[in-house]
């Protein structure tokens, strides 16, 4: 364990950049995880961070639990850790790890396609739902919020570490998918619950989720093989994209369960 007290330490400068710039992970090839929950989720999936950093106050109570968690362990004064954090209430511990290599697209995997989603909270929430409902591959079309950005990581609540995450994908990449491609539409297609009740909703498929304001692009919608409507008896015009994704993914997951 090393005690670091200089705010000008080069690695601490790198962490500040990662915490404050949502695109920095792409340029630096590094990811900053902040907080007990994310760090535990990474360890549970076999991730070995390069560096673990703890505030002095939490290290005093956690040394025996976390002493072997990383290749290198630092402690820093509490006020110095606060300067690293992107949170209003700093979490007092974090991991620095190498950005995982992007996997090849699995054409037969249950998949979620994100078409230029802008809100990091929506993206992270969809990743969490995808993981919960067995959709272990997420393909983000170029223009989507960074999957490994701090806000997406926090909203994902650890889902990242058990999934195949592919960024900056093109429409050409999606053409290799061998599973049915489904997308939601406000006006066209059968209702989701009808397909489910009739046994016509595929469990293994690719759900396309579109931009919060513009929806799915016409070019991508042309690849969709089944448009689906979500019944909204309350009369709202549309659902938040993360909510719509949770409804659709749960329906597909349920389609594979015995009655």
């Amino acid at each position: 364990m090393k005690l670091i007290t200089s705010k000008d330490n080069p690695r601490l400068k790198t962490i500040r950049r990662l915490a404050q710039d949502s695109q920095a992970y792409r340029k630096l090839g590094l990811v900053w995880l902040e907080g007990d929950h994310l760090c535990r989720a990474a360890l549970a999936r076999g991730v070995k961070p390069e560096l673990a950093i703890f505030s002095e106050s939490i290290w005093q109570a956690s040394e025996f639990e976390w002493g072997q968690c990383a290749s290198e362990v630092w402690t820093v004064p509490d006020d110095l850790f606060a300067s690293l954090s992107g949170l209003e209430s700093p979490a007092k511990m974090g991991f620095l790890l190498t950005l995982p290599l992007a996997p090849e697209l699995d054409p037969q995997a249950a998949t979620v396609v994100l078409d230029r989603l802008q809100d990091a909270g929506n993206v992270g929430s969809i990743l969490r739902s995808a993981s919960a409902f067995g959709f272990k591959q997420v393909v983000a079309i170029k223009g989507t919020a960074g999957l490994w950005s701090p806000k997406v990581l926090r909203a994902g609540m650890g889902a990242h570490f058990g999934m195949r995450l592919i960024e900056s994908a093109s429409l050409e990449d999606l053409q290799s998918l061998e599973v049915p491609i489904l997308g939601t539409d406000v006006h066209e297609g059968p209702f989701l619950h009808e397909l489910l009740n009739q046994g016509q909703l595929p469990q293994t498929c690719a759900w396309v989720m579109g931009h919060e304001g513009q929806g799915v692009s016409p070019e991508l919608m042309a690849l969709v093989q089944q448009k689906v409507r979500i019944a909204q008896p309350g009369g709202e015009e549309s659902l938040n994209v993360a909510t719509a994704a949770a409804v659709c993914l749960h329906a597909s997951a349920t389609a594979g369960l015995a009655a």
Side-chain angles (χ1 to χ4, degrees):
M1 188 275 293
K2 295 181 180 179
L3 173 63
I4 305 297
T5 59
S6 173
K7 63 181 178 57
D8 295 321
N9 179 282
R11 293 177 89 180
L12 296 188
K13 287 184 175 180
T14 294
I15 290 171
R16 285 192 195 94
R17 184 177 174 189
L18 291 168
Q20 296 168 9
D21 180 354
S22 63
Q23 300 299 317
Y25 75 91
R26 290 173 170 161
K27 303 169 186 174
L28 300 175
L30 296 168
V31 174
W32 170 241
L33 307 180
E34 184 176 348
D36 177 282
H37 183 91
L38 278 179
C39 293
R40 289 184 187 277
L43 291 178
R45 294 288 185 174
V47 175
K48 185 72 171 180
E50 296 181 4
L51 175 65
I53 301 182
F54 299 84
S55 66
E56 286 186 298
S57 60
I58 198 173
W59 179 251
Q60 294 172 4
S62 307
E63 178 178 356
F64 293 104
E65 178 181 5
W66 294 96
Q68 304 300 317
C69 67
S71 302
E72 193 172 358
V73 178
W74 290 1
T75 62
V76 300
D78 283 40
D79 58 347
L80 182 52
F81 191 97
S83 76
L84 305 177
S85 177
L87 305 176
E88 290 185 11
S89 299
K92 297 188 176 182
M93 67 168 292
F95 286 172
L96 183 67
L97 54 110
T98 300
L99 177 67
L101 293 175
E104 294 292 327
L105 186 144
D106 181 350
Q108 298 182 341
T111 300
V112 180
V113 179
L114 305 180
D115 183 21
R116 300 164 298 123
L117 272 68
Q118 300 295 295
D119 185 271
N122 283 338
V123 173
S125 180
I126 292 173
L127 262 63
R128 190 177 181 189
S129 293
S131 179
F133 298 130
F135 284 73
K136 298 300 185 180
Q137 179 167 264
V138 173
V139 180
I141 299 296
K142 186 176 181 180
T144 300
L147 299 187
W148 293 94
S149 65
K151 289 183 179 180
V152 174
L153 280 163
R154 290 196 294 273
M157 296 289 287
H160 287 68
F161 306 109
M163 305 185 73
R164 302 171 62 85
L165 303 179
I166 301 169
E167 293 196 282
S168 300
S170 66
L171 296 183
E172 289 72 22
D173 295 325
L174 298 181
Q175 291 176 358
S176 66
L177 286 173
E178 298 174 6
V179 296
I181 301 176
L182 284 69
T184 59
D185 191 287
V186 176
H187 305 293
E188 296 184 36
F191 284 107
L192 180 64
H193 67 278
E194 293 175 344
L195 289 177
L196 187 59
N197 291 339
Q198 295 165 5
Q200 297 179 2
L201 185 69
Q203 180 183 25
T204 303
C205 61
W207 277 102
V208 177
M209 297 295 151
H211 183 280
E212 289 87 349
Q214 303 168 9
V216 178
S217 71
E219 295 81 8
L220 180 49
M221 189 60 82
L223 299 179
V224 170
Q225 297 155 352
Q226 176 69 72
K227 293 181 181 179
V228 178
R229 287 184 287 170
I230 299 174
Q232 299 176 65
E236 293 297 325
E237 180 181 353
S238 62
L239 294 172
N240 169 273
V241 65
T243 301
V247 170
C248 294
L249 299 181
H250 177 265
S252 278
T254 304
L257 300 178

